[in-house]
Amino acid sequence: MVYFPEVSKVEYEGPKSRNPLAFKYYNPQERVLGKTMAEHLRFAVSYWHTFTLQGNDPFGLPTMIRPWDGYQGMDLAKRRVEAAFEFFDKLNVTYFCFHDRDIAPEGATLRETNRYLDEIVDMLEEYMKSTGKKLLWNTANLFSHPRFVHGAATSPNADVFAYAAAQVKKGLEVAKRLGAENYVFWGGREGYETLLNTNLQLELDNLARLLRMAADYADEIGFTGQLLIEPKPKEPTKHQYDFDAATTIAFLKTHGLADRFKLNLEANHATLAGHTFEHELYVSRIHGMLGSVDANQGDPLLGWDTDEFPTDLYSTTLAMYQILQNGGLHKGGLNFDAKVRRASMTPVDLFHGHIAGMDAFARGLQVAAKLLEDKVFEQVVEERYQSYSDGIGATIVNGTATLSSLEAYILDKELSVHSSGRQEQLLAILNQYLLET
Ligand code: XUL
Ligand code: CO
């Protein structure tokens, strides 16, 4: 069966093209700083937004019109796999990502659920073999079912902890089998609604315990993919423990887990935490923990996770600026954790959303590469911190300075005059590069 008959293969046609089903900037084989765009960007389709979710929101019913409508249970799950691989092929995307419950329905017991899951994983494995498509990451859905109402690893109920642990064990086995390049933990219910009923210490320790068990089990079965934590400050819970990059890094370091985990940073989660996307990437990068990216964007006027396709060129440029300075994403990639709007309900909108996001990141890559090549901001930063490269500054950096040595140096000295931060000039240069590259 053909699921998307209205779309043929999406090709690169260049910036002058007016064909809505063509790439204007994403040219997979084009070389940028020594690598192809495909190698830099490693795009992934998220299974849940594209094939599973149906456009319902807290106020309204599903709106999506999908070629797999009308199927149920395992039949529906199988039609979705067929449609997914046609979609990946037509869009020319190599990677995809899923939660266990996106791809197969739940049964009456975990044993039965695992049987359903195995059947779909068999099918995915065959399709992956014959098409060369790859799994960027999988994860366990530890938030949708009512059993996780009080959390998963941070539930006050030890049986729920055990259930979550069993689900993670299975998830890692699936990751190993499908050759996933990463495995993700997103703690959507790992947080609290009120401190009045919460043992904060036990919950945080238990969260670390589950992560330690997962790292040990990954070693035991020889899963060599990167383990990733995806920070998000709130939603669905009022406060989530993996609040942002800095909090998550401190948590991992406190619990001796920092050498086993990196971060999966999502743009909309960054803005929910009151940060820019590039802030989160930068913080992770300097700790050597920038693992992968959930490429989307939020709406500055809305206080929740709108998961829009990324089209803001400032954001994609500044994100790629960090990613290039990280030497790329290595095992990670750019996963479109993004959904078409509820009113964009036709199947072809799924293509338009992805094309918009892929072009926005391709353009961001080109501009960021040019900024780095020309050392536009690097030079500014270098000059701004010049005072630390010799003299008293060097003694601060190399650790030989003390409060006494600094006092002796400054007591009778006249302070050197500040130089300008030149923020407006730098923003104008950024605009110029965006328009001219
Ligand atoms: C939720 C979110 C998740 C994770 C994977 O906000 O981003 O879809 O990416 O569980
Ligand atoms: Co995400």
Side-chain angles (χ1 to χ4, degrees):
M1 176 170 164
V2 178
Y3 290 85
F4 304 102
E6 64 277 61
V7 182
S8 45
K9 232 175 159 123
V10 180
E11 306 280 2
Y12 171 72
E13 292 185 5
K16 296 243 179 319
S17 168
R18 293 293 175 261
N19 174 3
L21 289 169
F23 296 117
K24 319 298 182 301
Y25 301 101
Y26 180 58
N27 182 6
Q29 297 317 316
E30 184 177 319
R31 295 189 84 78
V32 179
L33 300 178
K35 281 200 286 189
T36 66
M37 277 197 176
E39 287 165 342
H40 276 289
L41 298 167
R42 296 166 59 85
F43 289 126
V45 172
S46 69
Y47 209 93
W48 54 103
H49 285 309
T50 312
F51 308 111
T52 315
L53 300 180
Q54 297 172 302
N56 35 314
D57 71 11
F59 300 93
L61 297 173
T63 57
M64 296 301 161
I65 301 158
R66 295 291 177 252
W68 47 86
D69 287 345
Y71 291 94
Q72 304 286 328
M74 286 297 280
D75 284 339
L76 172 61
K78 289 174 187 170
R79 298 296 83 78
R80 282 179 172 145
V81 173
E82 293 166 0
F85 280 81
E86 182 186 325
F87 189 79
F88 305 152
D89 175 53
K90 288 188 165 168
L91 196 62
N92 197 10
V93 164
T94 302
Y95 294 95
F96 65 108
C97 300
F98 64 81
H99 302 80
D100 45 8
R101 304 299 170 251
D102 302 333
I103 62 167
E106 287 215 26
T109 60
L110 185 56
R111 191 182 296 280
E112 190 183 21
T113 303
N114 284 347
R115 216 171 36 240
Y116 294 150
L117 188 69
D118 283 337
E119 204 177 324
I120 300 299
V121 169
D122 286 344
M123 192 173 167
L124 287 175
E125 193 176 30
E126 262 174 50
Y127 270 79
M128 288 168 72
K129 254 188 210 140
S130 65
T131 61
K133 300 298 175 194
K134 296 175 187 169
L135 186 57
L136 185 67
W137 53 260
N138 62 311
T139 184
N141 179 329
L142 305 177
F143 46 89
S144 291
H145 193 279
R147 74 175 67 86
F148 299 120
V149 63
H150 297 297
T154 63
S155 171
N157 181 335
D159 278 7
V160 175
F161 186 107
Y163 199 104
Q167 226 177 297
V168 168
K169 174 176 179 287
K170 183 73 181 168
L172 289 166
E173 290 161 6
V174 167
K176 157 96 178 152
R177 209 173 130 199
L178 296 181
E181 305 203 11
N182 306 269
Y183 182 86
V184 164
F185 294 83
W186 171 61
R189 305 254 178 220
E190 312 292 28
Y192 61 79
E193 295 297 335
T194 172
L195 285 173
L196 297 176
N197 65 13
T198 301
N199 182 338
L200 199 64
Q201 177 88 63
L202 181 67
E203 291 204 4
L204 287 166
D205 287 346
N206 279 352
L207 183 56
R209 287 180 181 115
L210 185 75
L211 296 175
R212 169 53 58 202
M213 289 178 203
D216 289 347
Y217 191 65
D219 290 343
E220 189 183 324
I221 63 173
F223 172 63
T224 55
Q226 177 65 51
L227 302 176
L228 298 170
I229 313 261
E230 183 175 325
K232 184 177 183 183
K234 55 190 166 190
E235 196 202 10
T237 34
K238 183 168 86 173
H239 175 93
Q240 272 150 222
Y241 295 133
D242 301 326
F243 194 90
D244 61 1
T247 312
T248 307
I249 291 166
F251 172 83
L252 290 169
K253 291 197 174 190
T254 302
H255 293 277
L257 293 162
D259 56 330
R260 290 297 274 116
F261 288 81
K262 287 188 178 178
L263 304 187
N264 182 39
L265 286 317
E266 176 165 327
N268 204 164
H269 296 180
T271 47
L272 283 176
H275 304 306
T276 59
F277 185 25
E278 58 271 22
H279 165 97
E280 289 294 82
L281 296 172
Y282 201 164
V283 168
S284 310
R285 173 167 79 75
I286 60 173
H287 287 92
M289 292 175 86
L290 168 47
S292 198
V293 165
D294 270 9
N296 64 11
Q297 68 184 30
D299 185 319
L301 301 181
L302 301 176
W304 63 91
D305 198 8
T306 58
D307 283 343
E308 294 170 28
F309 276 92
T311 53
D312 178 343
L313 293 176
Y314 282 104
S315 178
T316 59
T317 298
L318 295 175
M320 288 313 300
Y321 187 71
Q322 293 301 326
I323 290 168
L324 288 175
Q325 288 181 94
N326 193 55
L329 287 167
H330 309 284
K331 289 183 180 182
L334 298 175
N335 167 49
F336 290 113
D337 192 351
K339 59 183 177 222
V340 290
R341 298 304 84 193
R342 191 162 175 268
S344 306
M345 72 282 282
T346 67
V348 73
D349 288 305
L350 294 172
F351 285 88
H352 292 313
H354 284 85
I355 291 168
M358 291 163 80
D359 270 343
F361 265 94
R363 193 80 189 110
L365 167 64
Q366 288 172 328
V367 179
K370 189 84 176 84
L371 285 166
L372 283 167
E373 234 170 24
D374 294 355
K375 295 197 185 319
V376 177
F377 301 128
E378 272 175 318
Q379 218 159 342
V380 172
V381 172
E382 207 181 298
E383 277 167 28
R384 190 155 180 257
Y385 296 90
Q386 191 61 44
S387 66
Y388 287 92
S389 50
D390 48 32
I392 194 71
T395 70
I396 295 172
V397 170
N398 68 25
T400 56
T402 62
L403 291 185
S404 305
S405 75
L406 295 171
E407 182 197 45
Y409 167 81
I410 207 71
L411 263 181
D412 303 309
K413 196 174 186 288
E414 216 172 292
L415 264 188
S416 55
V417 187
H418 289 303
S419 48
S420 167
R422 300 244 187 275
Q423 187 165 335
E424 296 74 12
Q425 183 199 340
L426 299 178
L427 289 168
I429 294 174
L430 177 58
N431 275 350
Q432 194 184 1
Y433 271 74
L434 265 162
L435 291 167
E436 281 183 5
T437 299

